[in-house]
Structure formats: C-alpha cells, structure tokens
Amino acid sequence: MALEIIQQHKVHGGTLSYVRHASQATGTPMRFSVFIPGEAKGPHPYAIWLSGLTCTEDNFTTKAGAYGHAAQAGLAIVAPDTSPRGEGVADDPAYDLGQGAGFYVDATQPPWAPHFSMETYVTADLLSAVEDGFPLDPARRGIFGHSMGGHGALTLALRHPELFRTVSAFAPIASPTRCPWGRKAFAAYLGPNETAWAEHDAVLLIAQGRARGRSILVDQGGADNFLAEQLKPDLLEAAAKEGGADLTLRMQDGYDHSYFFISSFIGDHVAWHAARL
Amino acid sequence: MALEIIQQHKVHGGTLSYVRHASQATGTPMRFSVFIPGEAKGPHPYAIWLSGLTCTEDNFTTKAGAYGHAAQAGLAIVAPDTSPRGEGVADDPAYDLGQGAGFYVDATQPPWAPHFSMETYVTADLLSAVEDGFPLDPARRGIFGHSMGGHGALTLALRHPELFRTVSAFAPIASPTRCPWGRKAFAAYLGPNETAWAEHDAVLLIAQGRARGRSILVDQGGADNFLAEQLKPDLLEAAAKEGGADLTLRMQDGYDHSYFFISSFIGDHVAWHAARL
C-alpha cells in the first residue's frame, strides 16, 4: 500500500505530512495528516485523532494548535479524513450523512456498504499505513477525537482494547443510539435492527463494563449548542459509574463546539496521552 | 460607527469576537476578529495582526495558534481583513491584486481609489472601532503581520511611529518596490510614478533612518518558496545597518511560508510585543 506525500511542512521543529494512500477497506484513496516530532529518531508513541461531521484531515491539522504541545511531549499525531470520498462513492445532501460523516462504523446497508467501512479503515489500513511509513511505535498507540470523532475514539478504543492503550474525547456523541445524529446515521449504515447499533454506542459499552479500570478523559463545553440534544455527557457519567470506568469528565464553562474550544484544551489531552503511552 | 458582533467564542479563557463595522476610509463594511484575554478587566495592551495575500480576518484567527500565548501574556490581538470586498468594489482575477490584496496603502488610481484605502482604514477606522468597542489601551499598541501583512506592519509602524510602539513580522515583503508582487500592486494602486512608491517600502524607510533606535523582530523561513524573488530579507538587514535600526532577523531553517511556520514562532512574537508594551 504505497503512500503518496502530497504536502510536507516543518512545524514546531517536527514534520507534518499530508498523505494519500489506497485503502482496501473503503476501496478508495484516503487521506491523512501525520505529525512526527523533531528531535528523537523514534519510534514515537502516537495518537490517532478522529474528526467530527463535515471535517476532512485538514481541520484538526490547521486549527487545533496541537503540534507545539505534541513536540514538547514527544507525541506523534495522525489525523485521517472522516469518510471515503469521490464520484463513485455514495453521498447524501445532508451534512450529517455520507461523505464527511462516516461515523467510524462498517456500513452493512446499501448504498453505503461498498465504501463506508471506516471502522476497518481506521483499525487496519490506517494503522498499517502509518506504521509502515513513519517511525511510530505500535505498542504505544492512543486515540482521541471530537464530536462524531469523540464517539469514534471511545467506541474504537473499547471495541479494540488491544489496539489503543489510551483514549480521550472532546464533546463526544456519547450515545448515538439515543440522539438524532446517531440514530439517523446508524439506521442508514447499519439498518433498522437496533441490536446491531448497541455495539457502537460508547455509553452502552461502558455500562456493560467494557471500559472497566480504563482511564478516559472527556472535555465538554458548557455553552455547546449540541450538548443536550446530541452529546449527552450525563449518560457517559452514569455509565462509567455502572460499568466501573475511570472517567474524568470536565465541563468547561462557556466553551462551545468549535475548534476554539478544542485548541483551548488540546494541550491537556496531548500531555494526558503522552504521560500514559 | 456601530460594531456588529457576528460570532463570539470562548478560547483559552478569553473572548474571541468576529466583528463587522462600516469604514469611512473604504466606504464598505469591514470585518475583523478581536481576542480579549480573560482574567483582568483591561484596558489591555494589544497588537494588530495584518495578514497576507488571499487572506481574510479568519486565517490568522483559526490557524496561528496565537491565543494560548496571548492569554498567558495578557495581550489582546486584532486581525482585520486584507482589503475591502463586495460587489461594488473593484477586483482583479489574479490572487495578488484587488480583493484580498490591499497592500495596506491608500490607492490613488482608478479603479482602486474609491475603496482601496487600507492604510487609512487600519490607522484610523480600525483603531477607533476596536478602542471604542473593547477594553484596549491606545498607549500600548503594537503591530505585526505576515508576508504582505509583514510589509504592512513594518511600513505602517514606520510611517505612524506615534501609533505603534512595537513592530514585528513573519516573512515580510521587505522591499515591494523591488519585487514582482510589490511592483505590480504599487503600479496599480499608486500609479507609474515610483517616487510615490518609496514611502511604502520598509527597506527604503529603514535605510533613511526612519527606524533609528527602534527594535524590530523578523522571522523568515529558510525553505520559503518566495524568499529570493519576493521577500528579500537580506535587503532588510542591510537597510537596518545603514539606517541604525535594531533589527533581529531570525532565519528559521526548513520552515516555509505557511501558517505552520507562523504557528511555530507566534509565541515568541506575542511574548516580544507583550514585554515591550
């Protein structure tokens, strides 16, 4: 699986590359960015960042202000696109379904099933691509994300505990089976049988004890427009109590859902992952 | 001159506002962003950031990663758009002339003269708008910028020394009378008589002694594609010797012309202004 480096920039003493590669899981070219800190030779501990609805690999990369912190902590960061894209790929005019809205599941339903396999993309093709192409340590791998990507980070970490040692999230869609964004996407990608949905709902997985003993850091803006209807961090807190997860949920007064919120606390998350990897 | 707040975000404990207001200088609505640090009541020292070709008020605001540093230093930052815009405003299909390319001069030539008065906009309308609307200290005001905006910061600081106590730049167009970007823009905005151009060329102003005794910080990426043809920091260095300016020119090996370069050193510039304001 050849990697094509599209752009490369020096930033905070390290190297940021935008990369394109072919994915078997999605059957399309996929893009990601990867930041490698500058000084040591590696292999470096690293974290995968999963973005939210409408995002590409570029949003986190240009807006999060993460790389100064990552350089200091010696942490590499990989940020993939949020879905397969292209002319032969199914899409929907709404911002919350189809291209830009992959929801980090493997779709089983038409017209999505042929390309929308974002769980397999992230957990297989992406990991092997970045670890083949860059000096990254597979034994020190974490995952984090925002909104839809916060859902992705939590569920992929809990469904694949052998792959991700650390997990954190910003404003995650905590329980997609119980909010409009998640119900719409899961109905489209996974079909009407809600039993199949439960395996992709962080709150339900945590309540079952699938995060028992694991530490999870979550930041949530108190002025986030999507808080009550879509995100529901209170369900996460209740599930953590029920299922024995070590959840640190920080409500950040006055912060909204934007990258301005993320940039304000990304340093804490980078340090948190680096300390545990 | 009423200010209309279009968007507001909490970031790094402070408040970032996107603002629209009517400018007499340009005869159009203009936009800027303003970051006010969170803790103290003010009035705060502040710096105006001038952006480069093709930019709006949004590029610095979302990509520079400046506000964490600004919050720490207690510095407010104002980032205006780079030109007047709109349907009744002259434009050119090229990226380096017209809308998005105001060059921080007052145009005297058709079709630009009616709206392209960016020097007066920044030094009069913008200052009074932000100082009326926000807790900013007019006695502690600096200016900095990138590329075309580095040219703007240097020339406006030298032409209006009573307005700006501190000045720094990233990859400035050091001598617009001697590079293609500058010659094209000055010919269009100021006309064929090059005598009128000299007053807007930082190298010529500095060589004349207009920066005598002033401290100037400039960062320049060594891998910047525009270095030799458009930016010419060597001319800046020679002029500083000739004209007695206290120039610190830092060549940053491997860095390019992008916001990844800016974000890597913006903390140094914020601290530099804050220490002197």
Side-chain angles (χ1 to χ4, degrees):
Chain A
M1 204 178 291
L3 301 185
E4 180 192 352
I5 294 187
I6 304 166
Q7 275 185 56
Q8 212 163 47
H9 304 274
K10 187 166 178 181
V11 59
H12 284 287
T15 304
L16 176 72
S17 307
Y18 285 85
V19 181
R20 180 164 46 209
H21 69 128
S23 161
Q24 287 195 321
T26 67
T28 65
M30 292 293 294
R31 286 174 184 243
F32 61 85
S33 78
V34 51
F35 171 77
I36 303 292
E39 297 301 318
K41 276 186 79 173
H44 303 280
Y46 80 106
I48 304 271
W49 172 270
L50 301 181
S51 285
L53 289 167
T54 77
C55 289
T56 68
E57 76 287 0
D58 203 40
N59 300 66
F60 175 86
T61 306
T62 58
K63 295 184 173 181
Y67 302 127
H69 304 291
Q72 206 167 4
L75 186 74
I77 302 181
V78 172
D81 198 354
T82 57
S83 79
R85 295 180 193 270
E87 285 197 11
V89 177
D91 201 8
D92 187 281
Y95 75 96
D96 56 0
L97 193 67
Q99 297 185 32
F103 265 86
Y104 307 103
V105 297
D106 288 355
T108 57
Q109 306 295 306
W112 311 106
H115 299 292
F116 281 75
S117 295
M118 285 300 291
E119 177 169 12
T120 299
Y121 169 66
V122 171
T123 57
D125 296 358
L126 177 65
L127 299 187
S128 58
V130 298
E131 290 166 14
D132 284 357
F134 298 90
L136 300 174
D137 185 350
R140 290 184 293 160
R141 193 196 289 130
I143 192 164
F144 59 164
H146 172 235
S147 196
M148 175 183 76
H151 142 74
L154 292 170
T155 55
L156 297 190
L158 299 179
R159 288 169 55 73
H160 305 274
E162 74 289 0
L163 294 182
F164 303 106
R165 282 177 58 179
T166 53
V167 58
S168 76
F170 290 82
I173 301 174
S175 189
T177 65
R178 279 174 283 184
C179 76
W181 277 340
R183 295 189 61 82
K184 177 179 175 178
F186 283 8
Y189 297 143
L190 304 175
N193 180 354
E194 296 195 21
T195 317
W197 301 8
E199 271 293 307
H200 302 278
D201 182 304
V203 162
L204 298 179
L205 296 173
I206 292 170
Q208 283 168 24
R210 302 270 286 269
R212 190 171 300 281
R214 284 193 83 164
S215 294
I216 303 173
L217 171 63
V218 172
D219 274 313
Q220 170 64 56
D224 187 323
N225 285 335
F226 302 112
L227 180 55
E229 190 186 5
Q230 304 280 12
L231 305 174
K232 303 183 192 286
D234 47 316
L235 297 180
L236 211 51
E237 203 151 42
K241 273 193 193 139
E242 190 181 338
D246 172 25
L247 172 71
T248 302
L249 171 63
R250 307 192 306 184
M251 292 299 296
Q252 303 288 5
D253 185 42
Y255 287 88
D256 61 26
H257 201 63
S258 71
Y259 267 88
F260 295 112
F261 159 59
I262 296 171
S263 72
S264 300
F265 301 102
I266 193 74
D268 293 351
H269 285 243
V270 165
W272 191 90
H273 284 269
R276 286 163 179 77
L277 285 173
Chain B
M1 204 178 289
L3 301 185
E4 181 192 351
I5 294 187
I6 304 166
Q7 276 184 56
Q8 213 163 45
H9 304 274
K10 188 167 179 181
V11 59
H12 285 287
T15 304
L16 176 73
S17 306
Y18 284 86
V19 181
R20 181 163 45 209
H21 70 129
S23 161
Q24 288 196 320
T26 66
T28 65
M30 292 293 294
R31 286 174 185 243
F32 61 85
S33 77
V34 51
F35 171 76
I36 304 292
E39 298 300 318
K41 275 186 81 173
H44 304 280
Y46 79 106
I48 304 271
W49 172 269
L50 301 181
S51 285
L53 289 167
T54 77
C55 288
T56 70
E57 76 287 359
D58 203 40
N59 301 65
F60 175 86
T61 306
T62 57
K63 294 183 173 181
Y67 302 126
H69 304 291
Q72 206 166 3
L75 186 74
I77 302 180
V78 172
D81 199 354
T82 57
S83 81
R85 296 179 193 271
E87 285 197 8
V89 177
D91 201 9
D92 187 279
Y95 75 96
D96 56 1
L97 193 67
Q99 297 186 31
F103 265 85
Y104 308 103
V105 298
D106 287 355
T108 57
Q109 305 296 306
W112 312 107
H115 299 292
F116 282 75
S117 296
M118 286 299 290
E119 177 169 14
T120 300
Y121 170 67
V122 170
T123 57
D125 296 359
L126 177 65
L127 299 187
S128 58
V130 298
E131 289 166 13
D132 285 358
F134 299 90
L136 300 174
D137 185 350
R140 290 185 292 160
R141 194 196 290 130
I143 191 163
F144 58 165
H146 173 234
S147 194
M148 175 182 77
H151 142 74
L154 291 170
T155 55
L156 296 190
L158 299 179
R159 288 168 56 74
H160 306 274
E162 74 289 1
L163 294 181
F164 302 106
R165 283 177 57 178
T166 52
V167 57
S168 75
F170 290 82
I173 300 175
S175 189
T177 66
R178 279 174 282 184
C179 74
W181 278 340
R183 294 189 62 82
K184 176 179 176 179
F186 283 8
Y189 298 142
L190 304 174
N193 181 354
E194 296 195 21
T195 317
W197 301 8
E199 270 292 305
H200 302 278
D201 182 303
V203 163
L204 298 179
L205 295 173
I206 292 170
Q208 283 169 23
R210 302 269 288 268
R212 192 171 299 281
R214 283 194 84 164
S215 295
I216 303 173
L217 172 63
V218 172
D219 274 313
Q220 171 63 57
D224 186 324
N225 285 334
F226 302 111
L227 180 55
E229 190 186 6
Q230 304 280 11
L231 305 174
K232 304 182 191 287
D234 47 317
L235 297 180
L236 211 51
E237 202 152 43
K241 273 192 193 141
E242 190 181 339
D246 173 25
L247 172 70
T248 303
L249 171 63
R250 309 193 304 185
M251 292 300 295
Q252 303 289 5
D253 185 42
Y255 287 88
D256 61 25
H257 201 63
S258 70
Y259 267 88
F260 295 112
F261 159 59
I262 297 170
S263 72
S264 300
F265 301 102
I266 193 72
D268 293 351
H269 284 244
V270 165
W272 191 90
H273 284 269
R276 287 162 179 78
L277 285 173

